[in-house]
Amino acid sequence: MVPVLPRTSLEAHGPVLPPRPSTMQVGDRILNGRIEAFSCKRAGEDKKMAKLLEQQYVDEIASSPLQLGTSPLGPLSDSSTRRLLIDLISTMNASFPDHDFSGLRPEQFTREPNVNLVVNSVNKHLAPLREAYNSTFLEELWQAIEEVIRLHECEIYSYIPDMEEDPFSEGHLWALNFFFFNRQLKRILYFTCIATSKYSPAAAEAVSDPESLDGLEDMDDVI
């Protein structure tokens, strides 16, 4: 996946759309989030992986047409559905380069019924940030996202964690995973945020990492 406008729209909203992971402490919780936009254009290793996965899915459909004919993303027999699945996997691989999501199945994604439910869910979980740091945080967040992806033109998908060692495995209070897919723009915006108790081993490990402290140290400037 090719990052979209990494030094224009996204970085212009640095406090809202950090082009790298941002770690923040709110009360007794550590929030680790990122919002990244990618073009669906494929190149290099992404293109190679896409070809391998496409052939794998085609072979599976040929051998088990009834079992693999449908999926939460649409009919897997449809090339556009397979492309979408591969794009979602490529997006996660690009966002979390230390993990390999190529083994994900379509059942691990679901399509959200409408944008309002997603907005309400995000606002509910991130409300403490507005209360603690900036009363206009959420408004600025959605304005920046709108400029990059055109919310109401998007299909929205979410990832259901089902791997033993992925970034969303056990030990978190909650996790948000949303993919805003604009077919017309051929672009995916990936929004993820993980909440961990500051007393948990996972939070202690994150805070011990100097890179993860950037958001905490600069919170007054970042938000």
Side-chain angles (χ1 to χ4, degrees), residues 7 10 61 64 66 69 73 77 82 99 113 126 141 159 162 178 204 206:
R7 298 191 178 277
L10 293 180
I61 292 170
S64 305
L66 296 179
L73 302 181
S77 57
R82 298 194 299 273
H99 298 269
L126 299 188
L141 170 70
Y159 165 61
D162 191 29
F178 294 115

mmCIF file of all heavy atoms in Angstrom, residues 7 10 61 64 66 69 73 77 82 99 113 126 141 159 162 178 204 206:
data_model
loop_
_atom_site.group_PDB
_atom_site.id
_atom_site.type_symbol
_atom_site.label_atom_id
_atom_site.label_comp_id
_atom_site.label_asym_id
_atom_site.label_seq_id
_atom_site.Cartn_x
_atom_site.Cartn_y
_atom_site.Cartn_z
ATOM 1 N N ARG A 7 2.842 14.124 3.702
ATOM 2 C CA ARG A 7 3.384 15.374 4.212
ATOM 3 C C ARG A 7 2.484 16.567 3.890
ATOM 4 O O ARG A 7 2.915 17.696 3.917
ATOM 5 C CB ARG A 7 4.785 15.617 3.656
ATOM 6 C CG ARG A 7 5.761 14.534 4.081
ATOM 7 C CD ARG A 7 7.195 14.904 3.774
ATOM 8 N NE ARG A 7 8.096 13.872 4.240
ATOM 9 C CZ ARG A 7 8.534 13.759 5.482
ATOM 10 N NH1 ARG A 7 8.123 14.609 6.386
ATOM 11 N NH2 ARG A 7 9.357 12.791 5.831
ATOM 12 N N LEU A 10 -2.326 14.872 5.980
ATOM 13 C CA LEU A 10 -2.193 14.159 7.238
ATOM 14 C C LEU A 10 -1.320 14.916 8.227
ATOM 15 O O LEU A 10 -1.689 15.104 9.379
ATOM 16 C CB LEU A 10 -1.619 12.756 6.991
ATOM 17 C CG LEU A 10 -2.525 11.807 6.219
ATOM 18 C CD1 LEU A 10 -1.835 10.470 6.037
ATOM 19 C CD2 LEU A 10 -3.845 11.614 6.921
ATOM 20 N N ILE A 61 -11.522 -21.471 -3.757
ATOM 21 C CA ILE A 61 -12.884 -21.416 -4.286
ATOM 22 C C ILE A 61 -13.136 -22.586 -5.236
ATOM 23 O O ILE A 61 -14.204 -23.204 -5.229
ATOM 24 C CB ILE A 61 -13.125 -20.074 -5.010
ATOM 25 C CG1 ILE A 61 -13.113 -18.930 -3.998
ATOM 26 C CG2 ILE A 61 -14.451 -20.095 -5.759
ATOM 27 C CD1 ILE A 61 -13.094 -17.564 -4.629
ATOM 28 N N SER A 64 -13.508 -25.697 -2.969
ATOM 29 C CA SER A 64 -14.641 -25.672 -2.027
ATOM 30 C C SER A 64 -15.574 -24.520 -2.367
ATOM 31 O O SER A 64 -15.687 -23.552 -1.609
ATOM 32 C CB SER A 64 -14.134 -25.536 -0.583
ATOM 33 O OG SER A 64 -13.207 -26.543 -0.260
ATOM 34 N N LEU A 66 -18.829 -24.038 -2.377
ATOM 35 C CA LEU A 66 -19.944 -23.742 -1.477
ATOM 36 C C LEU A 66 -19.466 -23.124 -0.178
ATOM 37 O O LEU A 66 -20.092 -22.231 0.380
ATOM 38 C CB LEU A 66 -20.750 -25.022 -1.197
ATOM 39 C CG LEU A 66 -21.443 -25.639 -2.403
ATOM 40 C CD1 LEU A 66 -22.188 -26.908 -1.986
ATOM 41 C CD2 LEU A 66 -22.413 -24.648 -3.039
ATOM 42 N N GLY A 69 -17.789 -19.473 -1.111
ATOM 43 C CA GLY A 69 -18.445 -18.625 -2.096
ATOM 44 C C GLY A 69 -18.896 -17.285 -1.559
ATOM 45 O O GLY A 69 -19.051 -16.328 -2.306
ATOM 46 N N LEU A 73 -17.401 -9.786 3.498
ATOM 47 C CA LEU A 73 -16.988 -8.706 2.604
ATOM 48 C C LEU A 73 -17.704 -8.771 1.256
ATOM 49 O O LEU A 73 -17.564 -7.854 0.442
ATOM 50 C CB LEU A 73 -15.471 -8.772 2.366
ATOM 51 C CG LEU A 73 -14.581 -8.690 3.607
ATOM 52 C CD1 LEU A 73 -13.112 -8.752 3.202
ATOM 53 C CD2 LEU A 73 -14.864 -7.420 4.393
ATOM 54 N N SER A 77 -16.115 -15.229 -4.650
ATOM 55 C CA SER A 77 -15.964 -15.559 -6.060
ATOM 56 C C SER A 77 -15.854 -14.307 -6.923
ATOM 57 O O SER A 77 -15.448 -14.380 -8.090
ATOM 58 C CB SER A 77 -17.157 -16.401 -6.531
ATOM 59 O OG SER A 77 -18.378 -15.707 -6.297
ATOM 60 N N ARG A 82 -12.250 -10.148 -3.462
ATOM 61 C CA ARG A 82 -10.903 -10.637 -3.162
ATOM 62 C C ARG A 82 -9.917 -9.475 -3.109
ATOM 63 O O ARG A 82 -9.027 -9.431 -2.251
ATOM 64 C CB ARG A 82 -10.468 -11.677 -4.199
ATOM 65 C CG ARG A 82 -11.352 -12.915 -4.235
ATOM 66 C CD ARG A 82 -10.702 -14.046 -5.011
ATOM 67 N NE ARG A 82 -10.444 -13.721 -6.403
ATOM 68 C CZ ARG A 82 -11.319 -13.881 -7.395
ATOM 69 N NH1 ARG A 82 -12.539 -14.353 -7.132
ATOM 70 N NH2 ARG A 82 -10.988 -13.576 -8.653
ATOM 71 N N HIS A 99 4.288 -7.319 12.105
ATOM 72 C CA HIS A 99 3.320 -8.413 12.107
ATOM 73 C C HIS A 99 2.970 -8.787 10.667
ATOM 74 O O HIS A 99 3.053 -7.958 9.762
ATOM 75 C CB HIS A 99 2.049 -8.017 12.862
ATOM 76 C CG HIS A 99 2.293 -7.705 14.313
ATOM 77 N ND1 HIS A 99 2.203 -8.649 15.305
ATOM 78 C CD2 HIS A 99 2.634 -6.543 14.923
ATOM 79 C CE1 HIS A 99 2.472 -8.085 16.478
ATOM 80 N NE2 HIS A 99 2.739 -6.813 16.271
ATOM 81 N N PRO A 113 -22.711 -0.970 9.404
ATOM 82 C CA PRO A 113 -23.955 -0.619 8.710
ATOM 83 C C PRO A 113 -24.050 0.828 8.257
ATOM 84 O O PRO A 113 -24.637 1.110 7.216
ATOM 85 C CB PRO A 113 -25.048 -0.955 9.733
ATOM 86 C CG PRO A 113 -24.346 -0.969 11.048
ATOM 87 C CD PRO A 113 -22.949 -1.433 10.778
ATOM 88 N N LEU A 126 -13.258 8.115 22.721
ATOM 89 C CA LEU A 126 -12.230 9.157 22.797
ATOM 90 C C LEU A 126 -12.690 10.403 23.539
ATOM 91 O O LEU A 126 -11.952 11.382 23.617
ATOM 92 C CB LEU A 126 -11.775 9.546 21.383
ATOM 93 C CG LEU A 126 -11.138 8.443 20.547
ATOM 94 C CD1 LEU A 126 -10.558 9.019 19.266
ATOM 95 C CD2 LEU A 126 -10.047 7.699 21.331
ATOM 96 N N LEU A 141 -10.842 16.203 14.638
ATOM 97 C CA LEU A 141 -10.555 14.847 14.156
ATOM 98 C C LEU A 141 -11.393 14.511 12.931
ATOM 99 O O LEU A 141 -10.859 14.115 11.882
ATOM 100 C CB LEU A 141 -10.834 13.839 15.274
ATOM 101 C CG LEU A 141 -10.816 12.361 14.885
ATOM 102 C CD1 LEU A 141 -9.406 11.915 14.573
ATOM 103 C CD2 LEU A 141 -11.415 11.503 15.986
ATOM 104 N N TYR A 159 -12.065 -4.746 11.872
ATOM 105 C CA TYR A 159 -11.301 -5.984 12.028
ATOM 106 C C TYR A 159 -11.645 -6.614 13.367
ATOM 107 O O TYR A 159 -11.679 -5.939 14.395
ATOM 108 C CB TYR A 159 -9.810 -5.682 11.940
ATOM 109 C CG TYR A 159 -8.901 -6.787 12.435
ATOM 110 C CD1 TYR A 159 -8.904 -8.038 11.829
ATOM 111 C CD2 TYR A 159 -8.031 -6.581 13.507
ATOM 112 C CE1 TYR A 159 -8.073 -9.053 12.274
ATOM 113 C CE2 TYR A 159 -7.193 -7.593 13.948
ATOM 114 C CZ TYR A 159 -7.215 -8.826 13.344
ATOM 115 O OH TYR A 159 -6.396 -9.827 13.784
ATOM 116 N N ASP A 162 -8.362 -12.017 16.018
ATOM 117 C CA ASP A 162 -8.479 -13.462 16.179
ATOM 118 C C ASP A 162 -7.127 -14.128 15.997
ATOM 119 O O ASP A 162 -7.028 -15.246 15.522
ATOM 120 C CB ASP A 162 -9.488 -14.033 15.176
ATOM 121 C CG ASP A 162 -9.842 -15.486 15.475
ATOM 122 O OD1 ASP A 162 -9.781 -15.875 16.649
ATOM 123 O OD2 ASP A 162 -10.144 -16.231 14.529
ATOM 124 N N PHE A 178 -11.059 0.520 12.409
ATOM 125 C CA PHE A 178 -11.966 0.882 11.324
ATOM 126 C C PHE A 178 -11.186 1.191 10.051
ATOM 127 O O PHE A 178 -10.176 1.893 10.082
ATOM 128 C CB PHE A 178 -12.820 2.091 11.697
ATOM 129 C CG PHE A 178 -13.785 1.835 12.829
ATOM 130 C CD1 PHE A 178 -13.654 2.496 14.038
ATOM 131 C CD2 PHE A 178 -14.819 0.919 12.680
ATOM 132 C CE1 PHE A 178 -14.531 2.259 15.081
ATOM 133 C CE2 PHE A 178 -15.706 0.675 13.720
ATOM 134 C CZ PHE A 178 -15.568 1.344 14.922
ATOM 135 N N ALA A 204 3.231 -1.022 30.655
ATOM 136 C CA ALA A 204 4.568 -0.796 31.200
ATOM 137 C C ALA A 204 5.626 -0.990 30.125
ATOM 138 O O ALA A 204 6.600 -0.229 30.039
ATOM 139 C CB ALA A 204 4.823 -1.750 32.371
ATOM 140 N N ALA A 206 5.170 -0.572 26.869
ATOM 141 C CA ALA A 206 5.061 0.522 25.902
ATOM 142 C C ALA A 206 5.733 1.775 26.421
ATOM 143 O O ALA A 206 6.459 2.461 25.698
ATOM 144 C CB ALA A 206 3.590 0.794 25.593
#
